[in-house]
Amino acid sequence: MAKKTSGDKAPAAVVLDADLRIGAAPALRDILLTALASGKPVQIDGAGVTHVDTAGLQLLAAFSRDARARDLAPVWLAASDSLHKGVATLGLHELIELPARAGVN
């Protein structure tokens, strides 16, 4: 399950778990909705993600869309190769704006 941390003035921070497949979707959904409800900008750390499927990516895409609608565009601190590959496979670059891979311009 993803973990959410926050301070009173600090942005909401979400650290994604290694497994973002369908079994983790309900917990991930709850974490993302809580982060969105905080009304604070959200920072996401996806460096540790090793497994991702369409369900996990759909949640991240919906969250990104909803956050932008509230002028709270998520800021990605890091994203694993697995996340990059999943986003690329499903063509979700415009919805899930991952940070550039290290060493890639």
Side-chain angles (χ1 to χ4, degrees):
M1 163 182 5
K3 299 163 199 70
K4 179 187 167 287
T5 60
S6 65
D8 287 322
K9 296 182 181 183
V14 175
V15 179
L16 300 177
D17 283 344
D19 191 348
L20 294 186
R21 293 179 289 190
I22 196 165
L28 177 59
R29 179 184 175 274
D30 291 344
I31 293 293
L32 295 175
L33 287 176
T34 299
L36 192 59
S38 76
K40 300 176 185 178
V42 179
Q43 295 178 336
I44 303 174
D45 183 348
V49 175
T50 57
H51 296 89
V52 64
D53 66 7
T54 302
L57 291 170
Q58 286 174 325
L59 281 172
L60 292 174
F63 169 76
S64 294
R65 179 201 62 214
D66 294 348
R68 281 189 196 88
R70 297 180 186 196
D71 289 327
L72 299 171
V75 174
W76 284 87
L77 302 175
S80 69
D81 284 341
S82 294
L83 269 176
H84 278 282
K85 288 176 187 174
V87 167
T89 298
L90 296 182
L92 295 173
H93 297 289
E94 289 184 25
L95 283 174
I96 304 173
E97 297 175 338
L98 297 179
R101 293 182 188 179
V104 176
N105 293 330

